[in-house]
Amino acid sequence: MEVEPGRKLNLYCVGKGSPTVIFESGLTDDMAVWGMVQREIGQHTRACAYDLAGVGFSDPARRASDSANIVDDLHRLLAAASIKPPYVLVGYSLGGMHVRLYADTYLPEFAGMVLVDSSDEKIGRAHV
């Protein structure tokens, strides 16, 4: 799905319903890490996973791969794919930081979050 002219991010959704569950992977993981979980959640509601810029089948970023730009990419991706809020965001490892920033930035679109071994932006390590 095109997020800006000439740049695409890979998105895969299963299921139907609301809220849509969005899976955010860790630093270098592609969306395949969510495969089994996504299929299970997709039996109850819409479940979507995507590859970050430069990971898996997504085009590389043209700007810094910081959390703000990753959140902006996700917001553009969901709009381009006509996936309407509300969203439940699920973040693994570094993806947990992106999920929290997405919720802070786009609060009206947000229905909830699940953090899986999430990194902490204050200390830069996973919660134990």
Side-chain angles (χ1 to χ4, degrees), residues 11 23 71 77 79 82 87 98-99:
L11 173 71
F23 293 98
V71 165
L77 177 63
S82 298
Y87 309 123
H98 308 319
V99 161

Side-chain angles (χ1 to χ4, degrees), residues 23-125:
F23 293 98
E24 181 79 30
S25 301
L27 180 62
T28 59
D29 294 319
D30 64 21
M31 73 168 113
V33 301
W34 294 111
M36 292 175 64
V37 176
Q38 184 182 10
R39 281 191 298 277
E40 182 65 30
I41 298 300
Q43 294 179 25
H44 306 282
T45 192
R46 187 175 204 179
C48 300
Y50 76 106
D51 290 328
L52 294 169
V55 176
F57 293 102
S58 287
D59 294 337
R62 295 181 181 151
R63 54 193 178 165
S65 291
D66 61 25
S67 287
N69 289 335
I70 289 168
V71 165
D72 182 58
D73 273 355
L74 177 56
H75 191 253
R76 290 177 187 212
L77 177 63
L78 296 172
S82 298
I83 299 172
K84 306 287 185 222
Y87 309 123
V88 172
L89 304 171
V90 181
Y92 164 68
S93 187
L94 186 60
M97 290 189 343
H98 308 319
V99 161
R100 289 194 304 278
L101 182 58
Y102 193 101
D104 287 345
T105 306
Y106 301 105
L107 187 59
E109 299 177 2
F110 179 72
M113 84 171 66
V114 176
L115 302 175
V116 182
D117 197 21
S118 178
S119 296
D120 183 305
E121 62 275 5
K122 292 180 182 139
I123 56 176
R125 63 180 175 87

